[in-house]
Amino acid sequence: NGARTIIPPHMNDWSRNGESVFSLSRCIRTSKGIVLGVLEVQQNYSKLEDICRMDSPYWKVVIVNGGGELIYPLDFDSHTLSGLVGEIRVDLEKAGYFLLEEDQSYLYSSSYSAYSDWYVTVLRSREDVLDSINTIRNLAFAIGALLVLMTFILINLISKSLTAPIKQLSDLVKEVSFDNLSLTLDEDK
């Protein structure tokens, strides 16, 4: 019917280097349905690796097609992959977490492309995410404590500058007696 098919990574039959490629193929037919041939456009797998490579060791990208075949990375553990595929295919676009190994869970976000029939999933260790959240929380507490301390210091300085003249006047009034009725105020203080 001329529908397109995306072929998962495979060895390039035309290359002597044994490069991996992924392909888009389409059957070419006449208007009467006579098959003229198949057109296949290949792209080096290294292009997909460049797109999906993360700068951080904490993040992982996994791409599978609708049939559950692994697209990227080719060296991903098959046991882990089956659990991941089962998890993300429950809902087409989903985020959540699941256990990769017995002792480590991963948070993930997955998106489905109807055009390519690919599920693109980004994974990050749950512990790494919680460490980041704890760091931000601790920083917020430290900044809050610093602001409270600075507020107390500022309040102390302002209250001293406001109460100093009143205290000075109070001390002078205590010195006034019947023998000493003069009161001299120092305007500089």
Side-chain angles (χ1 to χ4, degrees):
N1 65 3
R4 72 188 173 323
T5 302
I6 297 180
I7 302 169
H10 58 281
M11 299 306 286
N12 184 354
D13 297 330
W14 301 95
S15 172
R16 294 183 186 160
N17 302 350
E19 313 176 303
S20 289
V21 294
F22 61 100
S23 307
L24 172 69
S25 64
R26 177 165 258 166
C27 182
I28 307 297
R29 298 177 185 263
T30 65
S31 60
K32 294 183 180 183
I34 300 170
V35 175
L36 297 175
V38 175
L39 175 67
E40 180 179 350
V41 179
Q42 296 182 339
Q43 183 67 285
N44 283 340
Y45 186 73
S46 62
K47 297 276 187 186
L48 185 62
E49 289 175 322
D50 291 342
I51 292 169
C52 295
R53 186 173 297 119
M54 301 295 249
D55 292 335
S56 171
Y58 303 113
W59 294 91
K60 294 179 183 180
V61 175
V62 178
I63 302 174
V64 295
N65 66 13
E69 294 175 280
L70 181 64
I71 305 297
Y72 177 86
L74 292 177
D75 60 348
F76 203 70
D77 176 41
S78 61
H79 174 69
T80 301
L81 177 66
S82 64
L84 175 63
V85 170
E87 187 74 25
I88 64 174
R89 290 181 72 198
V90 170
D91 192 2
L92 292 182
E93 294 197 21
K94 180 177 178 178
Y97 75 94
F98 75 105
L99 289 172
L100 263 180
E101 293 105 25
E102 288 183 18
D103 60 338
Q104 189 169 18
S105 61
Y106 278 79
L107 297 171
Y108 71 91
S109 179
S110 184
S111 182
Y112 174 73
S113 167
Y115 179 78
S116 63
D117 192 32
W118 286 2
Y119 294 88
V120 179
T121 305
V122 179
L123 304 162
R124 183 158 186 189
S125 166
R126 187 171 184 203
E127 289 74 29
D128 292 334
V129 173
L130 292 177
D131 286 346
S132 298
I133 291 170
N134 288 337
T135 300
I136 292 170
R137 182 199 64 212
N138 292 343
L139 183 61
F141 281 140
I143 290 172
L146 183 64
L147 287 174
V148 167
L149 179 66
M150 288 174 56
T151 303
F152 281 134
I153 291 171
L154 187 63
I155 288 172
N156 190 19
L157 292 174
I158 290 172
S159 66
K160 281 185 180 181
S161 69
L162 290 175
T163 58
I166 296 171
K167 185 176 183 329
Q168 178 189 9
L169 183 61
S170 173
D171 290 344
L172 286 174
V173 168
K174 287 179 187 176
E175 292 177 15
V176 173
S177 66
F178 283 115
D179 297 333
N180 182 12
L181 291 175
S182 66
L183 195 71
T184 306
L185 292 177
D186 188 5
E187 293 180 19
D188 294 336
K189 291 184 179 180

